[in-house]
């Protein structure tokens, strides 16, 4: 596919999970993708996982795009400013797609404690990683789009509304980026730049598979431990959703909205890796979640 051939994307938080899959799917559509994150082959982040941005960049190139790995801590404004200065120099000022997927909150979330017993340091660090980083990244990425009067910013979140998500700090982070997309959409509208939020369903990420002690080949074994896992989806599903949005000439009509992988599958007709079409929204309603 060449729907995005010649376009330039930055995927912030492309090391693993949804970010990696989005980067790969953008590459599969022909884009040049800057894959950023903290984990490299030489220098792992405090997440201490095996995935690296170099691997993601290689997967982007294998898929048909051009993958470029850049180590960036998106909570550091100076590093982020250097990233976009590099993109501007190497791509003649062009930036078509910016995906904010930085998270890093899993080890910081204690689901068993109310906020007054939860570690305040961990809760505030979660906001720094998952909200402040998105604000910093958009601050330096948006001007490239405004200058050319075109572009798409995608905020990756969890859920499409402001309902409580089981932990105050987690909820605050995920709802905040939904509003960040909505607020950016308002200020970017006069400049023909689109901003929106996008959520996967129950994500069958590398970390989640490890958590349940399964692989993608035998993931259904985890349903014995977590029955709702039966409705899970691979990261490819939200990756395809992002690629479809980026290729949609009418995507500006969705500016400010909070969208889902399952809803966009209904609209665009893409499937998950195995040809299925998981629909977390419908499943959640049926189960009263």
């Amino acid at each position: 596919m060449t729907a995005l051939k010649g376009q330039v994307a930055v995927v912030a938080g492309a090391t693993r999970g949804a970010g990696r899959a989005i980067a790969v799917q953008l590459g599969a559509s022909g884009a040049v993708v800057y894959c950023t994150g903290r984990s490299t082959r030489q220098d792992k982040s405090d997440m201490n996982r095996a995935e690296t941005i170099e691997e993601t960049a290689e997967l982007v190139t294998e898929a048909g795009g051009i993958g470029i790995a850049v180590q960036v801590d998106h909570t550091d404004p100076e590093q982020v400013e250097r990233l976009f200065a590099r993109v501007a120099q190497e791509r003649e000022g062009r930036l078509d797609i910016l995906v904010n997927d930085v998270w890093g909150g899993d080890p910081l979330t204690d689901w068993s404690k109310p906020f007054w017993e939860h570690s305040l340091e961990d809760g505030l660090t979660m906001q720094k990683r998952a909200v402040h980083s998105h604000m910093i990244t958009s601050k330096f990425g948006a001007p490239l789009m405004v200058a050319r009067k075109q572009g798409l910013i995608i905020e990756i979140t969890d859920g499409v509304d402001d309902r409580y998500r089981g932990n105050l700090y987690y909820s605050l982070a995920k709802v905040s980026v939904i509003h960040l997309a909505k607020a950016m959409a308002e200020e970017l509208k006069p400049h023909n730049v689109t901003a929106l939020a996008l959520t996967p369903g129950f994500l069958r990420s590398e970390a989640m598979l490890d958590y349940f002690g399964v692989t993608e080949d035998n993931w259904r074994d985890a349903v014995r431990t977590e029955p709702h896992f039966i409705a899970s989806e691979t990261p490819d599903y939200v990756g395809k959703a992002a690629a479809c949005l980026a290729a949609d000439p009418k995507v500006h009509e969705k500016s400010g909205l909070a969208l889902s992988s399952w809803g966009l599958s209904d609209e665009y007709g893409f499937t998950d890796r195995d040809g299925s079409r998981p629909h977390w929204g419908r499943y959640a309603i049926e189960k009263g979640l």
Side-chain angles (χ1 to χ4, degrees):
M1 296 178 61
T2 58
L4 302 178
K5 186 173 179 59
Q7 295 200 26
V8 178
V10 169
V11 180
T15 313
R16 62 186 69 85
R20 169 173 283 189
I22 290 169
V24 172
Q25 292 300 327
L26 294 175
S29 291
V32 175
V33 186
Y34 287 80
C35 307
T36 73
R38 295 180 297 159
S39 297
T40 69
R41 289 186 173 124
Q42 292 74 37
D43 186 15
K44 298 295 177 66
S45 76
D46 59 2
M47 300 294 288
N48 196 32
R49 289 193 55 83
E51 302 87 8
T52 68
I53 54 173
E54 292 96 338
E55 290 173 351
T56 301
E58 290 165 1
L59 291 169
V60 169
T61 302
E62 290 173 9
I66 299 174
I68 302 168
V70 186
Q71 186 180 34
V72 179
D73 180 343
H74 283 265
T75 66
D76 183 340
E78 292 184 358
Q79 291 187 39
V80 177
E81 186 173 19
R82 286 197 298 270
L83 165 67
F84 287 105
R86 172 178 171 177
V87 173
Q89 180 180 23
E90 294 179 354
R91 303 298 157 184
E92 299 180 340
R94 180 164 191 165
L95 177 63
D96 300 280
I97 306 153
L98 170 59
V99 179
N100 280 318
D101 183 55
V102 176
W103 168 226
D106 287 339
L108 303 172
T109 310
D110 188 339
W111 298 97
S112 68
K113 293 181 179 178
F115 70 88
W116 59 91
E117 296 177 359
H118 196 287
S119 164
L120 179 60
E121 181 181 1
D122 286 352
L124 295 179
T125 299
M126 196 188 309
Q127 310 315 305
K128 181 178 180 181
R129 289 184 178 180
V131 182
H132 295 186
S133 67
H134 292 216
M135 296 169 68
I136 292 167
T137 304
S138 294
K139 153 79 174 175
F140 293 106
L144 298 182
M145 298 179 170
V146 169
R148 298 181 63 245
K149 298 290 185 182
Q150 64 182 61
L152 170 64
I153 299 176
I154 301 177
E155 290 288 327
I156 303 302
T157 185
D158 174 10
V160 295
D161 52 34
D162 63 355
R163 75 182 63 186
Y164 173 64
R165 289 158 169 76
N167 174 282
L168 183 149
Y169 294 108
Y170 181 94
S171 291
L172 182 60
K174 297 304 183 180
V175 173
S176 290
V177 297
I178 291 176
H179 187 72
L180 179 58
K182 185 176 182 65
M184 287 194 298
E186 290 296 325
E187 298 191 12
L188 290 168
K189 186 176 181 179
H191 306 283
N192 197 40
V193 177
T194 299
L196 52 81
L198 173 62
T199 183
F202 196 155
L203 193 66
R204 213 154 62 238
S205 65
E206 302 93 337
M208 189 59 67
L209 290 170
D210 288 347
Y211 177 78
F212 286 122
V214 294
T215 67
E216 184 56 32
D217 291 332
N218 70 332
W219 68 268
R220 288 178 178 80
D221 291 348
V223 174
R224 292 193 294 268
T225 302
E226 172 50 78
H228 300 313
F229 205 51
I230 194 63
S232 64
E233 62 193 58
T234 75
D236 285 359
Y237 206 45
V238 74
K240 291 180 179 180
C244 286
L245 287 169
D248 187 345
K250 295 183 178 180
V251 70
H252 62 276
E253 296 177 359
K254 295 179 170 61
S255 198
L257 299 181
L259 306 170
S260 65
S261 57
W262 60 89
L264 292 173
S265 172
D266 288 342
E267 178 177 353
Y268 293 120
F270 60 83
T271 63
D272 205 347
R273 190 181 304 173
D274 61 359
S276 66
R277 294 177 65 180
H279 201 293
W280 179 254
R282 185 163 52 242
Y283 178 86
I285 291 172
E286 291 172 353
K287 300 299 181 179
L289 301 179

